[in-house]
Amino acid sequence: MRKLALSDEVLLKIQQPARYIGGEVNMAVKDLEKVDIRFAMCFPDVYEIGMSHLGMQILYDMFNRREDIYCERIFSPWTDLDQIMREEKIPLFALESQDPIKEFDFIGITLQYEMCYTNILQVLDLGQIPLHQKDRTEEDPIIIGGGPCAYNPEPLAEFFDMFYIGEGETVYFQLMDIWKENKKNGGTRKSFLEMAAEIDGIYVPSFYDVTYKEDGTVKAMKPNNPHAKETVVKQMVAEMDDVYYIENPVVPFIKVTQDRVVLEVMRGCIRGCRFCQAGNVYRPLREHSLEYLKAYASKLLKSTGHEEISLSSLSSSDYSHLEGIVNFLIDEFKGKGVNISLPSLRIDAFSLDVMSKVQDIRKSSLTFAPEAGSQRLRDVINKGLSEEIILKGASEAFRGGWNRVKLYFMLGLPTETVEDMEGIAELSEKVAEVYYEIPKDQRNGKVQVVASSSFFVPKPFTPFQWAKMCTNEEFLQRAHLVKDKFRKMLNQKSLKYNYHEADLTILEGVLARGDRKTSALVEEAYKNGAIYDSWSEHFKNHIWKKAFETCGLDADFYTIRERDLEEVFPWDFIDSGVSKEFLKREWQNAINGSVTPNCRQHCTGCGAMKFKGGVCYEAKN
């Protein structure tokens, strides 16, 4: 019988106690006497969000295939348990063994979203681990950060021993092996970090010094340790079929956000949207073979008992064998009660045909992401989607039986004008009009068009990393302008418009392009009660405003200031594969409204070819 870290009395007091007890289907169980390394994989958000993250499931499965490593899981305790753990001084624990996380050798933290940064400090704090890497002793775990936000690790530099830049399947085992070697030789924490710094893709922030100019921008970032590299190069899987995939995903007891089997069909994207960080840092596009996917689809459904399988990628329509894998899934699981989910599809005749085969049209809605209301602005962001394509796709969808459409836009994009903003309402109206062109007796009830706009945040390693952001007031003015335009539309009863929170977006913008000085901001906000900032009901903007004042930092410096082309960025020491010269060219193309062809149409020399794989070499194979 497993001994739980929380007493029955505590479990009866909190929401969803199943978040904390482990014991799920396919959970890894190992004899601690027979393992050399204890690794805790952490997602700094609530269990239901973390258990839906594909990357965490892949690495959990990968680590536990090695007999000498026991990988366990940690999630942020929800606010009710957080309070109890502080009051009763209960140390944070891992789900599998229920042991305190301070007893582990490594804690690997997924950096998925800037607004989870205070939750990282919550995990360390409740785990009774010093927040600052400089205060940790030989007895403390090594804290590693990885994931998309690791491409600008500087706002978290004070809290992490190292960052892993790139895809987890590449050098993690090398890192584990040198840890064992260092321990066997009686090495210290510092000697391990020095050995780690020599591995490609590993960044040890304490081995670098940052200097600043008088205007507050970065002057230089230089290694202060001979083992540290001037440039840290992203690590990437070149051949997707050669790496691990999950065979036995952990199946939660409770409903989680993505309660289904996830089949990753490819990584990267060919499209080159200029606002999209993932589309740049995961270049080049690399595909799994059809046979690989067929084999894993069957294994995953069998090992989990899930009744839905989702094809995962940044743009599933660009997967070369999409028709093949969809037809296989339909044929293989026909009559077995398995649903097929197809996110990230471009709405064209083929995609609609596929979706009509696998979805209950009366229950589902279609999603388009025009991102901008006008063709001019879609060209600026290189969206590669014309109004004609959008309306044609909507028309074919409506004639196919759908009557609900979701449209996603961004407000505050570079060069945006009033006409671009009003175009959001006008395009939504045109989509509704397409529905009413269908003869009344052939319509499927009333049409509903829901338009949502998020606010634009410039991200590192995108052509828009030089762009300025709007202020909080400007964002809200733009949202209200769009809302007013919706009220003037003839089909306003068929239209609905939503927009995100502006103050949260401003903070995301600060942390996305922040430097090492913003570590103090995150810590100050956390110490004053900031936690679960990504959840609107828990976001406390006044705490962050006070933290800016206390730390002597100006949010405007990080947000509304347009960067000079020659400015040194806090993340310039990382080689993500796309060159800064390419991003500069794309920034200029954006200003000129010039469209860049996708990777399969024409190579634009972004720099990713050096990884020797994927779409860059398709024509040569």
Side-chain angles (χ1 to χ4, degrees):
M1 183 77 177
R2 291 168 69 241
K3 180 173 171 52
L4 298 179
L6 300 176
S7 67
D8 290 349
E9 184 184 2
V10 171
L11 289 169
L12 287 168
K13 284 181 185 175
I14 58 177
Q15 298 175 42
Q16 300 282 21
R19 292 166 173 162
Y20 311 107
I21 62 174
E24 308 100 317
V25 174
N26 294 332
M27 184 189 86
V29 179
K30 293 193 178 184
D31 183 346
L32 293 177
E33 298 295 320
K34 296 180 180 178
V35 298
D36 299 322
I37 299 171
R38 298 192 71 183
F39 194 108
M41 189 73 66
C42 171
F43 196 97
D45 206 326
V46 74
Y47 175 92
E48 291 92 319
I49 302 292
M51 280 303 295
S52 301
H53 184 246
L54 178 61
M56 187 170 180
Q57 287 265 23
I58 290 173
L59 292 179
Y60 178 83
D61 192 272
M62 181 186 92
F63 277 126
N64 281 316
R65 290 190 203 183
R66 263 184 61 159
E67 291 182 2
D68 59 341
I69 302 174
Y70 190 12
C71 182
E72 305 185 40
R73 293 162 297 144
I74 318 165
F75 303 100
S76 286
W78 190 244
T79 52
D80 53 355
L81 181 59
D82 177 276
Q83 185 179 346
I84 293 170
M85 293 179 79
R86 292 177 196 278
E87 289 169 355
E88 301 187 15
K89 295 184 169 51
I90 301 170
L92 185 60
F93 52 90
L95 297 192
E96 279 70 8
S97 63
Q98 300 280 297
D99 288 341
I101 64 171
K102 62 183 175 182
E103 297 176 5
F104 282 67
D105 301 306
F106 291 91
I107 297 174
I109 303 179
T110 298
L111 310 177
Q112 196 66 25
Y113 180 36
E114 292 86 356
M115 302 316 300
C116 289
Y117 286 0
T118 51
N119 279 52
I120 293 167
L121 300 193
Q122 174 213 27
V123 166
L124 297 176
D125 199 8
L126 290 178
Q128 300 174 4
I129 297 164
L131 297 186
H132 288 252
Q133 48 84 10
K134 64 181 173 60
D135 297 327
R136 293 183 196 128
T137 68
E138 300 295 330
E139 305 305 312
D140 291 308
I142 299 289
I143 311 299
I144 309 179
C149 290
Y151 284 94
N152 179 19
E154 290 304 275
L156 296 170
E158 302 294 338
F159 315 122
F160 282 80
D161 295 294
M162 65 174 72
F163 292 90
Y164 183 117
I165 311 298
E167 295 171 353
E169 300 97 332
T170 49
V171 297
Y172 249 130
F173 284 166
Q174 187 182 348
L175 190 65
M176 298 298 102
D177 290 339
I178 65 161
W179 186 87
K180 286 174 66 174
E181 181 189 337
N182 184 63
K183 187 178 180 182
K184 181 182 174 183
N185 296 334
T188 63
R189 188 183 189 92
K190 185 180 180 184
S191 64
F192 167 68
L193 291 175
E194 288 181 336
M195 292 166 74
E198 294 187 351
I199 297 176
D200 288 335
I202 300 297
Y203 165 54
V204 180
S206 60
F207 291 170
Y208 295 78
D209 293 324
V210 185
T211 54
Y212 298 91
K213 296 179 180 177
E214 284 187 15
D215 63 2
T217 60
V218 174
K219 181 179 181 182
M221 183 170 179
K222 296 290 182 186
N224 60 33
N225 185 297
H227 297 272
K229 296 178 169 69
E230 289 271 352
T231 303
V232 178
V233 181
K234 161 187 102 172
Q235 296 305 288
M236 190 202 83
V237 173
E239 293 294 335
M240 290 294 288
D241 283 3
D242 291 345
V243 296
Y244 294 91
Y245 197 64
I246 326 156
E247 289 192 351
N248 301 295
V250 179
V251 183
F253 289 132
I254 58 176
K255 186 170 178 61
V256 297
T257 311
Q258 302 288 334
D259 205 10
R260 59 183 72 99
V261 160
V262 179
L263 192 63
E264 183 185 32
V265 298
M266 63 186 191
R267 279 185 199 166
C269 186
I270 60 171
R271 296 288 156 186
C273 297
R274 292 175 180 137
F275 57 84
C276 182
Q277 185 185 50
N280 282 285
V281 299
Y282 293 124
R283 286 184 179 217
L285 177 140
R286 292 144 290 146
E287 299 187 338
H288 277 302
S289 70
L290 183 56
E291 293 311 309
Y292 180 101
L293 296 180
K294 284 179 179 180
Y296 272 102
S298 300
K299 285 179 188 175
L300 289 164
L301 286 163
K302 187 176 180 181
S303 72
T304 62
H306 276 307
E307 296 177 340
E308 184 171 348
I309 185 165
S310 175
L311 303 185
S312 170
S313 73
L314 292 174
S315 177
S316 299
S317 295
D318 294 319
Y319 175 56
S320 301
H321 308 292
L322 181 63
E323 187 172 9
I325 187 62
V326 170
N327 288 337
F328 167 78
L329 293 172
I330 291 170
D331 294 341
E332 187 75 7
F333 303 107
K334 198 171 188 178
K336 297 180 183 177
V338 174
N339 294 321
I340 303 167
S341 173
L342 299 165
S344 308
L345 286 181
R346 294 171 77 83
I347 306 302
D348 54 29
F350 167 68
S351 300
L352 292 167
D353 180 54
V354 166
M355 283 188 281
S356 67
K357 291 177 183 175
V358 301
Q359 288 186 4
D360 183 338
I361 291 171
R362 291 187 178 276
K363 292 181 181 177
S364 64
S365 61
L366 287 178
T367 300
F368 296 80
E371 309 294 0
S374 71
Q375 192 58 50
R376 185 200 72 81
L377 194 52
R378 283 193 292 276
D379 290 346
V380 167
I381 64 175
N382 207 48
K383 183 62 186 175
L385 196 61
S386 68
E387 185 174 292
E388 182 185 359
I389 291 170
I390 296 166
L391 297 180
K392 186 181 178 187
S395 175
E396 290 179 351
F398 293 147
R399 292 178 191 279
W402 278 275
N403 66 351
R404 286 182 289 169
V405 172
K406 294 177 183 175
L407 300 173
Y408 289 119
F409 298 93
M410 271 188 280
L411 280 173
L413 287 161
T415 79
E416 185 178 66
T417 65
V418 170
E419 289 75 20
D420 300 322
M421 295 176 235
E422 291 182 337
I424 293 173
E426 290 164 353
L427 182 58
S428 303
E429 168 87 344
K430 287 175 184 176
V431 169
E433 284 173 352
V434 164
Y435 183 78
Y436 292 113
E437 291 173 2
I438 301 171
K440 196 169 185 179
D441 61 339
Q442 295 174 28
R443 294 179 205 157
N444 181 18
K446 292 184 178 179
V447 70
Q448 184 181 41
V449 179
V450 179
S452 300
S453 64
S454 59
F455 296 122
F456 165 68
V457 177
K459 294 288 174 102
F461 296 108
T462 69
F464 288 165
Q465 63 184 355
W466 287 276
K468 64 178 182 179
M469 274 180 74
C470 294
T471 63
N472 185 71
E473 294 74 22
E474 285 169 340
F475 275 138
L476 291 176
Q477 285 168 5
R478 290 172 191 231
H480 293 153
L481 185 151
V482 175
K483 199 170 184 68
D484 288 344
K485 187 68 175 177
F486 266 93
R487 292 194 185 108
K488 296 173 185 174
M489 295 292 106
L490 287 173
N491 290 300
Q492 59 174 290
K493 287 184 179 179
S494 300
L495 308 177
K496 187 178 179 184
Y497 175 64
N498 307 310
Y499 57 90
H500 291 197
E501 293 146 293
D503 47 12
L504 194 71
T505 303
I506 297 298
L507 186 55
E508 183 186 340
V510 172
L511 298 177
R513 293 190 289 179
D515 51 28
R516 199 170 284 199
K517 290 179 283 189
T518 56
S519 286
L521 176 74
V522 175
E523 184 174 1
E524 182 66 19
Y526 168 71
K527 286 182 174 177
N528 285 290
I531 191 174
Y532 280 106
D533 299 299
S534 61
W535 295 69
S536 55
E537 66 267 34
H538 293 289
F539 177 60
K540 301 179 182 74
N541 197 38
H542 65 278
I543 290 178
W544 285 94
K545 282 188 172 181
K546 188 169 183 289
F548 275 105
E549 291 174 18
T550 304
C551 297
L553 295 174
D554 181 7
D556 289 352
F557 174 79
Y558 296 99
T559 53
I560 66 171
R561 180 177 63 86
E562 184 170 314
R563 276 55 168 171
D564 183 87
L565 278 178
E566 302 312 311
E567 180 171 331
V568 176
F569 291 137
W571 53 90
D572 272 353
F573 69 95
I574 294 173
D575 180 353
S576 73
V578 290
S579 70
K580 200 169 184 181
E581 289 310 308
F582 166 75
L583 295 174
K584 283 179 182 177
R585 290 201 308 271
E586 280 296 280
W587 174 231
Q588 195 57 55
N589 284 339
I591 301 301
N592 296 336
S594 301
V595 174
T596 301
N598 73 56
C599 298
R600 282 195 172 125
Q601 292 174 321
H602 177 69
C603 177
T604 50
C606 72
M609 188 175 276
K610 69 182 176 191
F611 292 113
K612 300 187 179 347
V615 69
C616 304
Y617 289 81
E618 275 182 1
K620 298 176 184 178
N621 292 340

